[in-house]
Amino acid sequence: GPGSGEKITLRRTPPAAHLIGTALMEKIILIAFAGTLGTLARYGLASYVQRNVSTTFPWGVFTVNMIGAFAFGLVWAYSESHGWVSENMRAFMLAGFMGAFTTFSTFAFDNAEFARISHWQFFLTNVLLTNAAGITLALIGFRAGKAI
């Protein structure tokens, strides 16, 4: 017991890096940091574009989603073809930055709002244009990434 001169060892809980692994913790931190940057870039660019158009159509969200679709395809294909991007850097750029930069939730909300107020022209334009252009730009980015 404590009075007998025995050494008492207290167990301490290891830091999170020991629980989930240092490599995984580094990746999580990179993704979180990149997500912060992507969110700020999305907010800044979407706000800038929307302020400079004379319509309520969500051109700001459309712009960031189209840039994001192209850039995602470009980075993915280039890193696959040339192997210059480490797994952590790809997670930083694609899951972190691009995941936060593009925004499906805002796209869905805008369309739900257009449907709610029966603005069917904006609803159909946004759904069709975003999907068609987004997929096309992702493919163009993919081809560009393989070509360079």
Side-chain angles (χ1 to χ4, degrees), residues 42 61-62 64-66 98-112 126-127 130-131:
R42 173 178 38 89
V61 172
F62 177 81
V64 297
N65 284 339
M66 295 308 102
M98 298 310 300
F101 182 69
T102 59
T103 173
F104 184 79
S105 59
T106 304
F107 167 74
F109 174 81
D110 288 341
N111 290 315
N126 199 29
V127 168
T130 298
N131 284 288

Side-chain angles (χ1 to χ4, degrees), residues 57 110-112 114-115 119-128:
F57 187 81
D110 288 341
N111 290 315
F114 292 146
H119 201 318
W120 301 112
Q121 182 181 1
F122 275 11
F123 174 83
L124 288 173
T125 300
N126 199 29
V127 168
L128 296 174

Side-chain angles (χ1 to χ4, degrees), residues 66-77:
M66 295 308 102
I67 291 170
F70 174 78
F72 197 103
L74 180 76
V75 170
W76 179 272

Side-chain angles (χ1 to χ4, degrees), residues 29-106:
I29 291 168
L30 283 172
I31 291 169
F33 179 67
T36 300
L37 297 176
T39 298
L40 295 172
R42 173 178 38 89
Y43 179 78
L45 180 59
S47 297
Y48 174 80
V49 169
Q50 202 61 47
R51 276 193 315 270
N52 289 288
V53 295
S54 58
T55 180
T56 56
F57 187 81
W59 286 114
V61 172
F62 177 81
T63 300
V64 297
N65 284 339
M66 295 308 102
I67 291 170
F70 174 78
F72 197 103
L74 180 76
V75 170
W76 179 272
Y78 190 81
S79 66
E80 284 289 307
S81 296
H82 298 82
W84 66 273
V85 178
S86 70
E87 183 181 338
N88 278 354
M89 187 52 67
R90 192 185 320 200
F92 176 88
M93 292 188 307
L94 299 179
F97 185 85
M98 298 310 300
F101 182 69
T102 59
T103 173
F104 184 79
S105 59
T106 304

